[in-house]
Amino acid sequence: MKPKNVRGKEDLYLSSIRYQYAFLKSVDLGKGWSWNPVKGSMTFIFYYDRYLDDLKDGFPDGYYLLRNDQTLQLGFETGFTKRFEKGEVLKGISFYGNANQDLVYLLNTFRSFKQEQGHLISLGLGVIFHFEL
């Protein structure tokens, strides 16, 4: 989330480290398809940008309880994977959906009650290509 006064003006760059754990075993659906019912994830994100300190101006007073260049997200994910038996380079493709909660947003919502409700949970859809080089 970027405050409205800087949205679209500067790009934010980030690095992340993610750990995923499959709570349930993958289900074989046949013909190369499998379903991963539920995975948990924990992602540590580090933002780096020379304009990052200027972003504080657009947030409510007291918003930054924690450092503004680091955050932790917890989430859940489900997805389907198709493996290709004869693929030389492309070995498979996965389609997934996830829901994440950013702990910084959650803490600051309960501290100031000024956080927009839409920022409490992030939903996403994605595609992963599996290559073997």
Side-chain angles (χ1 to χ4, degrees), residues 3 42 48 69 73 76 105 114 124:
M42 180 174 61
Y48 50 98
D69 61 345
Q73 287 184 348
F76 291 98
Y105 295 165
K114 294 180 183 177

Side-chain angles (χ1 to χ4, degrees), residues 29-127:
L29 301 174
K31 297 186 179 182
W33 283 95
S34 62
W35 174 47
N36 297 308
V38 62
K39 291 182 183 177
S41 67
M42 180 174 61
T43 308
F44 174 75
I45 302 171
F46 176 75
Y47 297 89
Y48 50 98
D49 193 293
R50 62 189 174 130
Y51 302 102
L52 195 57
D53 288 335
D54 297 337
L55 295 178
K56 292 180 181 182
D57 295 338
F59 288 95
D61 291 336
Y63 182 82
Y64 285 104
L65 171 67
L66 305 174
R67 290 179 55 156
N68 65 325
D69 61 345
Q70 300 173 11
T71 189
L72 181 69
Q73 287 184 348
L74 300 176
F76 291 98
E77 179 175 310
T78 187
F80 293 91
T81 299
K82 170 68 174 165
R83 294 284 179 190
F84 305 125
E85 293 179 18
K86 297 181 181 180
E88 293 182 16
V89 177
L90 182 62
K91 295 296 183 181
I93 186 169
S94 297
F95 304 93
Y96 69 91
N98 62 22
N100 294 306
Q101 169 46 247
D102 190 305
L103 295 183
V104 172
Y105 295 165
L106 181 65
L107 289 173
N108 287 309
T109 296
F110 290 111
R111 285 186 69 232
S112 69
F113 295 103
K114 294 180 183 177
Q115 181 71 25
E116 296 175 28
Q117 297 302 315
H119 296 147
L120 289 179
I121 295 177
S122 299
L123 301 175
L125 297 173
V127 178

